[in-house]
Amino acid sequence: MIYLKSIRTWIFIIYVLLVISLSLTPGPQLNMFSNLWKYDKFIHFIEYFGLGFLLVNMLILEPVNNKRIKYLILFLLLFPVFDELLQHYTPTRISDIQDAIIDIIGGLCGSYVRNIFHVS
């Protein structure tokens, strides 16, 4: 269950909306980040590390069981693909399967790290 009264839930939702809005932003509007493209894969990893971390942070309000873990993993596998599909249909943006793979790895690592440091 997701608790809409929890600040953790709203931080996660805002972060997801930020990721989606960046994916829908045409390339020329992202020129302020042009010096960062050489670190593209690292940035993707960190972005989704944060997503995975915040997802577990939100879900950890209740005990995490196997069913919830399956949904968590499913989300972390499908959301990066959805994100890259958005970029494919955004003007002057390029989707990349390698980015999706790095996103998945980052999300799984972030969720794992948050689960290890389980301090409510």
Side-chain angles (χ1 to χ4, degrees), residues 32-44:
M32 64 181 143
F33 300 113
S34 62
N35 291 334
L36 299 176
W37 295 133
K38 57 187 168 189
Y39 306 110
D40 176 47
K41 303 304 181 218
F42 179 72
I43 291 169
H44 275 272

Side-chain angles (χ1 to χ4, degrees), residues 86-106:
L86 282 178
Q87 289 183 31
H88 177 73
Y89 293 106
T90 303
T92 67
R93 295 293 299 269
I94 300 169
S95 62
D96 183 6
I97 190 69
Q98 291 177 347
D99 288 348
I101 292 168
I102 296 295
D103 294 344
I104 291 168
I105 293 168

Side-chain angles (χ1 to χ4, degrees), residues 26-76:
Q29 293 180 14
L30 295 173
N31 281 338
M32 64 181 143
F33 300 113
S34 62
N35 291 334
L36 299 176
W37 295 133
K38 57 187 168 189
Y39 306 110
D40 176 47
K41 303 304 181 218
F42 179 72
I43 291 169
H44 275 272
F45 180 85
I46 295 300
E47 175 186 14
Y48 277 83
F49 184 95
L51 184 84
F53 188 94
L54 292 174
L55 177 60
V56 171
N57 193 52
M58 175 187 69
L59 295 176
I60 217 158
L61 294 170
E62 281 185 3
V64 179
N65 57 30
N66 285 339
K67 185 177 181 181
R68 291 173 65 120
I69 290 173
K70 288 177 186 175
Y71 286 126
L72 180 139
I73 291 171
L74 184 65
F75 177 83
L76 292 174

